[in-house]
Amino acid sequence: MDTRPNLREVSVEELVSRLRLASSTEASLYVEEIIRRFEPLLRAAWPRVALVVEYRDFVQEVFSRLFEGLPALRTAKAFPGYFRKIVFSVASSLARRSSSVHEVHVEEPNELPWVGGEAFTLRIFVRSYLELLPRQEREVIRLLFLEELPASEASERLGIEPGAVRMTKSRALRRLRELWLREALALEAKR
């Protein structure tokens, strides 16, 4: 039987407060939950250093820096912004530190598995346009529509205010509509 506490219902503030007082064994549980909640933020910053360091090493560096500075964090409520600052600071310092870029070899499969259906096609279509959006807009749309998270959880994961999530969503949807309209007009002009 799993005796691990269910931390999904615990607020970020409570999670950080518990982390500050935790033993090393307990701390790992809180760190896992923080990684789960803030993974979109970590994944958004990682491409800056993806050719230099593996994702796991990047996350370890972020949490190493977090633990160094956590005692100085005045209030747990400030954690999302503080964590965001650390993530992008680590990404920037790793990018500056790297003097050589390693070649990444991704082996492509000989054949793609068959995946059918209208829903799958729609997801691929939407994802292809998401790549054209700025990073934060792309993450907001991905969390709200593809992962179907409520705005409050998307806000928490990205480390931004709920109002900023709504504004970013609105801006991203407007930009997507403009992209789709331009594409439709270009296709119509070719006919």
Side-chain angles (χ1 to χ4, degrees):
M1 181 171 184
D2 190 11
T3 58
R4 294 164 46 137
N6 181 5
L7 298 173
R8 290 182 183 255
E9 304 300 320
V10 175
S11 71
V12 171
E13 291 86 11
E14 180 64 22
L15 204 58
V16 171
S17 296
R18 289 183 187 182
L19 178 60
R20 286 177 156 175
L21 303 172
S23 67
S24 59
T25 307
E26 294 169 323
S28 65
L29 296 174
Y30 301 129
V31 167
E32 285 177 26
E33 182 60 18
I34 289 171
I35 290 172
R36 186 191 70 75
R37 292 187 190 187
F38 290 95
E39 188 163 24
L41 178 62
L42 291 162
R43 292 229 178 255
W46 180 61
R48 292 179 174 187
V49 293
L51 296 177
V52 178
V53 65
E54 290 188 22
Y55 180 71
R56 183 181 193 152
D57 297 333
F58 171 66
V59 172
Q60 280 183 327
E61 181 72 24
V62 166
F63 278 89
S64 172
R65 185 95 50 98
L66 172 69
F67 284 120
E68 287 172 15
L70 197 56
L73 185 64
R74 291 182 191 204
T75 172
K77 192 171 186 173
F79 181 80
Y82 177 69
F83 187 71
R84 179 182 178 82
K85 183 178 176 184
I86 288 174
V87 167
F88 286 101
S89 172
V90 167
S92 295
S93 76
L94 286 173
R96 279 192 308 271
R97 239 191 292 165
S98 68
S99 58
S100 64
V101 175
H102 305 287
E103 185 177 321
V104 174
H105 175 68
V106 178
E107 195 166 317
E108 293 184 28
N110 292 334
E111 58 185 62
L112 294 174
W114 182 86
V115 183
E118 191 174 317
F120 176 76
T121 306
L122 182 61
R123 286 178 91 86
I124 295 297
F125 173 76
V126 169
R127 284 180 189 266
S128 68
Y129 278 95
L130 286 181
E131 295 305 313
L132 301 175
L133 295 176
R135 180 188 49 76
Q136 188 165 5
E137 290 178 16
R138 181 174 56 242
E139 284 303 309
V140 165
I141 295 298
R142 188 180 65 74
L143 290 173
L144 295 178
F145 294 100
L146 297 178
E147 290 192 25
E148 299 177 0
L149 294 178
S152 59
E153 191 169 337
S155 164
E156 211 173 81
R157 283 196 184 186
L158 293 170
I160 60 177
E161 295 295 319
V165 169
R166 287 189 294 276
M167 286 176 46
T168 303
K169 172 188 162 189
S170 177
R171 193 171 46 245
L173 291 175
R174 185 174 52 250
R175 194 182 313 259
L176 283 171
R177 278 192 292 274
E178 290 169 2
L179 288 167
W180 291 331
L181 181 60
R182 258 189 303 215
E183 185 88 15
L185 291 173
L187 287 172
E188 191 64 35
K190 288 182 181 180
R191 285 186 174 183

